[in-house]
């Protein structure tokens, strides 16, 4: 093979490699989106990141924050057809996609509409349209007839196609911003977070024959050695909102693992801060209990009790 042939082969390989790399956004990319989702049957609002849309629709804003959201493509943060439509696009692109009911909240299942005793429903919720929990299942009341209630246990949006209109605002590269976006996608709460590199002591097992410092005459049975290593840590401030969050309680291990894998960090540290109570009643009580006999004698003196007589009475009773 001549030198020209070798160069041509190398160029062809590079071109083929370039062709194999997909263009645009792909799985694993952190993307900031603004979007509004509506069910197509009645044009009812399902979800939005827009404060303006929320106000127009009269959505209760007390417990919700309406702002662009960070999602990770390929992690199921949006319905698959929406993610598929986003892949390959670029920052600044817009799109619209309709998610069929079967790929959204499922088709409506007639077997999930059941008649139950109205005694299982609180009195103030015995009316059509009320959202109720019966035997651990969530549903809404369709009708109340005598002592019976017909309850639909399907998702409220089952059988509805969902239309998404979205705009790709930017690709998120900052790792701390990625962490906040990922946690928010799981828990929908904002938390204080920061990244630090810590020195941590770690025990490492040295197997037989791997100890380079061991004497040849000594029998190496394996042992543990302590070494100081650096670990990059994501710190999360534990607030009551976090510790009482059901999704966090049930899936914190999985959420932490996602953060470790997606951010390339070593560990997640959930940190709880407890402020001092100052010199309140409990502080005084604990001080009295641990302060020796002086405080007890002073208390007896204030109560006009003779300590020696009290001891004698206790001994007589014993």
């Amino acid at each position: 093979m001549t030198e020209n042939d070798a160069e041509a082969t190398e160029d062809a390989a590079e071109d083929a490699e370039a062709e194999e790399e997909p263009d645009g956004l792909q799985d694993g990319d952190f993307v900031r989106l603004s979007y509004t989702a509506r069910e197509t049957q009645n044009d009812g609002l399902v979800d939005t990141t827009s404060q303006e849309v929320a106000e127009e629709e009269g959505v209760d804003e007390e417990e919700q924050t309406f702002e662009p959201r960070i999602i990770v493509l390929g992690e199921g943060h949006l319905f698959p057809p929406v993610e598929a439509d986003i892949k390959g696009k670029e920052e600044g692109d817009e799109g619209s996609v309709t998610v069929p009911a079967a790929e959204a909240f499922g088709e409506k299942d007639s077997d999930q509409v059941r008649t139950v005793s109205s005694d299982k429903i609180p009195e103030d919720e015995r009316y059509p349209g009320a959202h109720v929990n019966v035997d651990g299942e969530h549903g809404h009341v369709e009708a109340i007839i005598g002592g019976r209630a017909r309850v639909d246990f399907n998702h409220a949006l089952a059988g509805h196609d969902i239309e998404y209109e979205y705009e790709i605002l930017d690709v998120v590269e900052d790792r701390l911003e990625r962490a906040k976006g990922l946690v928010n996608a799981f828990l929908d709460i904002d938390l204080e977070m920061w990244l630090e590199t810590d020195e941590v002591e770690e025990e490492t097992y040295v197997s037989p024959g791997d100890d380079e410092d061991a004497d040849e005459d000594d029998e190496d049975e394996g042992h543990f050695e302590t070494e100081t290593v650096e670990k990059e840590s994501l710190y999360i401030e534990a607030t009551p909102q976090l510790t009482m969050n059901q999704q966090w309680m049930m899936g914190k291990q999985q959420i932490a693992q996602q953060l470790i894998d997606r951010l390339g960090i070593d560990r997640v540290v959930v940190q709880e801060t407890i402020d001092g109570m100052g010199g309140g009643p409990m502080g005084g009580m604990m001080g009295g209990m641990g302060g020796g006999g002086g405080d007890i004698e002073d208390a007896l003196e204030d109560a006009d009790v003779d300590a020696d007589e009290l001891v004698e009475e206790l001994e007589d009773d014993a």
Side-chain angles (χ1 to χ4, degrees), residues 62-117:
E62 288 185 6
E63 297 183 359
Q64 299 183 61
T65 302
F66 298 96
E67 60 185 17
R69 294 176 189 167
I70 297 171
I71 64 105
V72 184
L73 287 178
E75 291 299 323
H77 296 160
L78 294 173
F79 293 123
V82 182
E83 291 199 357
D85 199 70
I86 292 173
K87 288 177 187 176
K89 285 189 166 62
E90 304 284 350
E91 184 177 309
D93 286 349
E94 298 180 7
S96 178
V97 58
T98 299
V99 182
E103 296 184 69
F105 297 98
E107 299 287 2
K108 193 157 186 175
D109 183 358
S110 59
D111 291 339
Q112 292 299 311
V113 182
R114 302 193 295 272
T115 300
V116 302
S117 170

Side-chain angles (χ1 to χ4, degrees), residues 160-197:
H160 292 260
D161 296 342
I162 309 296
E163 184 178 33
Y164 273 81
E165 292 187 355
Y166 66 84
E167 180 182 359
I168 303 167
L169 301 180
D170 63 314
V171 178
V172 179
E173 301 292 351
D174 182 80
R175 289 197 302 158
L176 188 55
E177 198 173 0
R178 286 183 169 194
K180 291 181 177 180
L182 193 55
V183 168
N184 193 267
F186 281 112
L187 307 177
D188 198 24
I189 54 178
D190 293 319
L191 297 167
E192 187 69 28
M193 303 181 198
W194 62 96
L195 288 164
E196 284 187 15
T197 299

